[in-house]
Amino acid sequence: MSKTKYPGVFVDKRGSIYYETELGTDKISGKRIRKKGRKDRQGKTFNSAFAANKELTRIKREYYEANGFSNFRMTYQEFMKNSYIPAYKTEVEASTFSSRERSFNVCVNRFGNTLLRDISAADVQNFRTWLLTDSDEGGAGYSQGYAGLVFGCFRKSLDHAVRLQYLTTNISKKIRAIPKSKHSVAFWTKNDFERVIAQIYVDNVYGHLSFVILWIYFLTGVRVNEGTALWWRDVDLEKKLMRVNHMLVLKNRHDWVRHDYTKTESGQRILTLDDDTVNVLKQWREVQKKFGLGNEEDFVMTYDGLPMIKSTISNIIHRYAKLAGVRPIEIKGLRHSHASYLINEFNVSVLVLSKRLGHSSPEITLKHYAHLWSGLDANVAKQISGNIKIETASKNHVRFVGNQTVKFDKLFPAKNPAKVDKGVRESINDAG
């Protein structure tokens, strides 16, 4: 059996064309309703995949009409509310759904009352154009990155409709996807980081915690929610190890969940800590113990037992960056800063960096950080300088013959070649 370009239409080993599909579930027996055929309604075998698809479409239409299924007249809004969004919620983390909810609303507001089956390629193209158009010109005014995210959500919703057989094809795939914009994440250099931490007063608890937070992210490269999830049991100060096995998902400081997994399977890792980081953590744990924290199941990044939220960490970054005269960066920029630090200061290999960052493959590491190795090119050029001994011949050892002869009058098509400098003539003649 081989597939054709039409969903549900196949070609068997003998070259015979047939359709096969499911029309849903019988409401009485609960069994799946399957349809398979090699002939059209006139009893003729199919001579093309197009003919089989035409017959399959007819069967589906008549089935839906005969059974009075409401999904035949379902609007996009009804589909999203009753089918796609409830299913999507069961497949992703609550934080992921929360971040996508706004995108779903954009799609619903655009296609809400349009029948799911009536969405055309022109509708999709107009939606794509609107997403990428400035608000001054009547468009959404979104960045290319966010426009691509919304358009991607819309395409995936129609994929779901196809899987449930509300649609036979995903019409949005006839329109080109919105490519991701190339967004470089700002990061701090070693010098920037030194200037920032020089502004932190660690003799009060909150200042000390601010120092520890920035230090952990810059020196370990853990993801934001991996860092906020750290308990003291994850840190072995004697063996100088940090186990990264959890991620924190939270709505606020009092409503959070600490999952025993990370963003990817390879994200679960054990990091070896440098001596400076070990000393920073030891000192901070002693401070925590003075007010009843620092136990095995207490957060590392806390001053009151509750986890830190992203907005607080972001405020810490901006506050001390401003004092240091250094450009502020996003929290995830500290992860990029760690990568830059290891590459530029220690020339670590992509394999080492990939493992330390918890990437699923070195290719992912190169995708995000290949540009950081470009600075090493200057060192290579510096080492090349003077490495090759430059010594040329004192006289010509090559004479051109036959068709390779270069005639003087072709090189200098002057009316009176005799007037050309004699030295020039002799040098040319010597060359052949």
Side-chain angles (χ1 to χ4, degrees), residues 57-268:
T57 302
R58 182 191 66 79
I59 289 173
K60 287 182 177 180
R61 184 176 64 250
E62 290 183 355
Y63 175 80
Y64 292 137
E65 290 176 341
N67 288 274
F69 282 177
S70 60
N71 61 48
F72 191 77
R73 301 292 298 173
M74 182 186 293
T75 65
Y76 182 77
Q77 183 173 0
E78 291 170 339
F79 161 71
M80 291 291 283
K81 180 181 178 181
N82 301 324
S83 182
Y84 183 64
I85 291 178
Y88 186 79
K89 275 186 176 180
T90 66
E91 297 170 354
V92 299
E93 295 288 338
S95 59
T96 302
F97 174 75
S98 179
S99 67
R100 294 289 184 271
E101 195 168 13
R102 183 187 170 202
S103 300
F104 295 152
N105 290 337
V106 173
C107 298
V108 170
N109 289 338
R110 182 75 180 190
F111 295 99
N113 294 322
T114 305
L115 294 182
L116 186 62
R117 294 172 176 271
D118 286 349
I119 297 175
S120 66
D123 293 331
V124 178
Q125 179 61 63
N126 291 336
F127 181 48
R128 184 184 189 278
T129 302
W130 177 76
L131 290 171
L132 292 170
T133 302
D134 292 337
S135 55
D136 294 341
E137 300 176 8
Y142 298 143
S143 66
Q144 183 172 329
Y146 186 68
L149 175 64
V150 173
F151 195 70
C153 287
F154 176 66
R155 289 174 69 133
K156 288 180 180 178
S157 72
L158 296 191
D159 276 338
H160 185 73
V162 172
R163 285 194 295 272
L164 296 183
Q165 297 181 345
Y166 296 160
L167 298 174
T168 56
T169 58
N170 185 342
I171 193 67
S172 71
K173 292 188 175 179
K174 292 183 178 294
I175 306 302
R176 191 166 67 92
I178 298 176
K180 292 183 178 180
S181 59
K182 293 183 179 180
H183 174 61
S184 59
V185 178
F187 60 89
W188 285 340
T189 63
K190 171 191 171 184
N191 181 58
D192 291 334
F193 182 67
E194 289 174 340
R195 289 170 61 185
V196 169
I197 60 175
Q199 304 301 317
I200 304 176
Y201 181 70
V202 297
D203 285 346
N204 66 56
V205 173
Y206 194 78
H208 200 151
L209 175 58
S210 299
F211 173 82
V212 170
I213 289 173
L214 296 183
W215 185 277
I216 289 176
Y217 283 125
F218 189 91
L219 270 297
T220 66
V222 293
R223 296 181 176 91
V224 179
N225 57 15
E226 292 172 346
T228 54
L230 285 172
W231 280 354
W232 282 110
R233 69 161 49 170
D234 299 319
V235 183
D236 190 327
L237 295 175
E238 297 303 317
K239 295 182 179 180
K240 303 178 182 180
L241 300 175
M242 177 184 286
R243 288 176 290 275
V244 184
N245 295 322
H246 300 83
M247 60 181 284
L248 195 71
V249 177
L250 73 170
K251 294 182 179 179
N252 54 61
R253 299 193 75 206
H254 298 277
D255 186 1
W256 52 269
V257 178
R258 186 175 182 264
H259 293 297
D260 57 353
Y261 52 82
T262 55
K263 183 178 180 181
T264 61
E265 289 186 11
S266 51
Q268 296 193 341

Side-chain angles (χ1 to χ4, degrees), residues 309-325:
I309 58 177
K310 291 182 180 180
S311 60
T312 301
I313 300 174
S314 180
N315 289 338
I316 291 171
I317 292 173
H318 282 72
R319 180 183 303 116
Y320 290 108
K322 183 177 180 180
L323 290 172

